[in-house]
Amino acid sequence: MAERGRGEHPHGADRLCEAGDRVYSRAVRRGRVSRRDADAVPCLLELALLHPDPDDMDWLVPTSPQEVMTRLLRGVYDEVSASQRRMGSAVTAFEWYAGLRPQPPSSAGEGTAIRVLDGSSRIQAALDEATEACTTEVLTVQPGGIRREHELTEGLHRALALRSRGVRMRDLYTHVARHGQGLLNYLDLMGDSVETRTLDEVTDRLILFDRTVAFIPANADRTLALELRHPALVHYFVTVFERLWRLAIPLAAPLPDTGIEGISHREQSIAALLAEGHQDAVIAERLGISVRTCRAHIARLSETLGAASRTQLGVRIAQVGLDGPPRPAEGRSSAPLSLPDQGSPTAL
C-alpha cells in the first residue's frame, strides 16, 4: 500500500493531494481518524502528518499544524541557505574565469564577428562605412514586391558612390519587381554597373560587401540588423547568393511560359505553394504580392482548372503537374486542359 501511495501521491506536505487534504482536515477537526479511512492516502503517514494513536493502534492522530509549519519552514530555510552557498561558489568561480578573458578591442567596429545594429541611424551609418571601404563587389537580395521609390532612393547615394569607383553590383529580386517602374528607372541610371536577376521567391534581405561583411535584418520591422564579419558566416551567405543567382532569370529575359494555356507564371508559382499546404498570407509574402492579389490569382486558377472548392483545386493542381518544380516548356502541351469529368465520382 505504501508503494502504491508513493506512486499516486508524489507531493510534499506543502501541497497535499485532494484526498490527503480531506483526511488530514478531518483528523485535525476530530482529533483522530481510523486507520481504514487513511488507507487511500498513505502519503499522510509518509509525510508524518498522521501517526498511530498509542492508546489505540486502529486509529491515527494528526501532527499539529504548527509543528508541520515549523518543519516546512525549517526545510525551506535549509534549501535557501544551500542555494545561497552554491550561488556564492558559482559567482566566485566565474569571477575568476572572467579575469582570464582577453580584453575586448578598443574599437567596437574592429574585429567584431557579429555586431547588433539598433535603429535606422546606426544601420545606415554601418552601411555607409561598408560602402566607403568596398572596392570590388556588392551582392544584394531584395525580397518583397514592387520596390517603392523612397526605398530605391534611400541607398541611391551609396550605389552611385560604388559605381564611381568601378564596383560591380549584382541584385536579386522577385519576379514581381519587374513590374515596378521605379526599379527600371534606377537600373537605367546605374547602367552596366548593376546586373539584376529575378526569382519566384528569394530569401530575406541580404547585402554583401567584397565578400567580407554581410548585413541581414534581425527583426520583422527591420529596426534591428546584424553586421556579420565572421568568415564562415559570410562564406555561407555568398554560397546561398551564388546558387540563387544561378537559378534566377536575367531581368532583360522574359519569364518562361508555363506551357499550360490560361495559366501564368505567377499562377504556376502560387499553385506549387498551394500544393505544399501554405495559407494565402504566407504565399503572398513569399512571392512579394498582396493577399488580395494572391486570392485573385487563386480564383483564376480555380476557374481555369475547373475546381469548385479549395480541396478540388489541390487535386486539379496535381493532375496537371503544377505541384512541383516547373518542367521545361517544350515538355508541355499548350493545348487546352484535359481533366476528368467533374461529375465523375472518380474525379476527386
Side-chain angles (χ1 to χ4, degrees):
M1 178 65 72
E3 290 298 324
R4 181 180 65 83
R6 277 192 289 270
E8 296 178 358
H9 302 279
H11 54 71
D14 57 330
R15 52 183 190 282
L16 288 179
C17 59
E18 184 177 349
D21 174 67
R22 187 167 56 251
V23 173
Y24 180 70
S25 298
R26 187 190 311 153
V28 172
R29 286 195 305 269
R30 299 180 180 178
R32 65 178 186 170
V33 292
S34 68
R35 188 180 290 274
R36 183 174 56 256
D37 290 343
D39 282 347
V41 282
C43 54
L44 295 181
L45 285 168
E46 294 170 3
L47 295 171
L49 297 179
L50 295 177
H51 54 271
D53 186 343
D55 296 328
D56 189 343
M57 300 299 288
D58 290 332
W59 291 84
L60 301 170
V61 295
T63 302
S64 70
Q66 292 79 8
E67 182 180 342
V68 175
M69 181 175 64
T70 300
R71 187 197 312 161
L72 286 175
L73 290 177
R74 186 182 302 115
V76 171
Y77 175 80
D78 291 343
E79 291 177 5
V80 171
S81 298
S83 296
Q84 288 176 336
R85 288 193 297 272
R86 290 195 300 270
M87 186 186 310
S89 299
V91 169
T92 301
F94 280 94
E95 281 180 345
W96 184 81
Y97 290 132
L100 302 178
R101 187 177 60 184
Q103 294 298 314
S106 57
S107 173
E110 297 178 2
T112 304
I114 301 177
R115 185 165 62 138
V116 179
L117 305 173
D118 188 354
S120 58
S121 59
R122 289 197 64 196
I123 295 172
Q124 296 301 327
L127 288 171
D128 288 339
E129 181 182 345
T131 298
E132 292 176 8
C134 183
T135 59
T136 57
E137 179 186 52
V138 177
L139 310 176
T140 74
V141 176
Q142 304 289 352
I146 295 176
R147 302 297 305 283
R148 297 180 177 89
E149 291 286 347
H150 73 86
E151 292 177 341
L152 292 166
T153 56
E154 279 178 0
L156 183 59
H157 67 287
R158 285 190 291 271
L160 292 173
L162 291 165
R163 186 189 68 171
S164 67
R165 299 200 301 272
V167 174
R168 305 293 300 172
M169 290 167 269
R170 286 189 285 158
D171 301 330
L172 276 171
Y173 294 89
T174 62
H175 290 325
V176 178
R178 290 169 170 256
H179 305 291
Q181 187 59 45
L183 175 60
L184 299 179
N185 293 340
Y186 165 78
L187 295 175
D188 285 342
L189 177 64
M190 297 302 296
D192 59 4
S193 61
V194 176
E195 187 178 356
T196 302
R197 295 186 182 184
T198 64
L199 283 164
D200 284 321
E201 52 181 313
V202 296
T203 62
D204 208 341
R205 195 176 306 278
L206 168 67
I207 305 176
L208 287 155
F209 292 91
D210 282 343
R211 306 191 177 211
T212 57
V213 56
F215 294 87
I216 60 173
N219 62 352
D221 58 7
R222 298 197 176 106
T223 56
L224 289 175
L226 295 183
E227 177 184 320
L228 308 170
R229 294 181 179 271
H230 193 287
L233 286 174
V234 174
H235 176 72
Y236 175 83
F237 284 121
V238 170
T239 301
V240 170
F241 180 91
E242 293 294 356
R243 293 185 182 180
L244 290 175
W245 184 261
R246 182 175 57 83
L247 297 172
I249 300 172
L251 188 66
L255 297 180
D257 188 82
T258 64
I260 301 178
E261 185 177 341
I263 295 180
S264 67
H265 186 93
R266 185 181 300 176
E267 288 163 358
Q268 179 186 28
S269 303
I270 291 174
L273 292 173
L274 281 172
E276 292 179 7
H278 297 294
Q279 298 298 315
D280 298 352
V282 175
I283 296 173
E285 181 181 5
R286 287 177 61 166
L287 298 183
I289 58 179
S290 68
V291 176
R292 182 177 179 180
T293 299
C294 178
R295 288 172 178 163
H297 282 295
I298 292 173
R300 282 195 288 273
L301 267 172
S302 297
E303 181 180 356
T304 303
L305 297 178
S309 67
R310 190 74 168 238
T311 300
Q312 194 176 39
L313 177 59
V315 175
R316 300 295 191 206
I317 287 172
Q319 288 172 338
V320 298
L322 292 174
D323 56 341
R327 292 175 293 184
E330 58 270 19
R332 294 183 177 179
S333 171
S334 296
L337 295 172
S338 176
L339 295 171
D341 179 11
Q342 294 181 48
S344 168
T346 63
L348 295 180

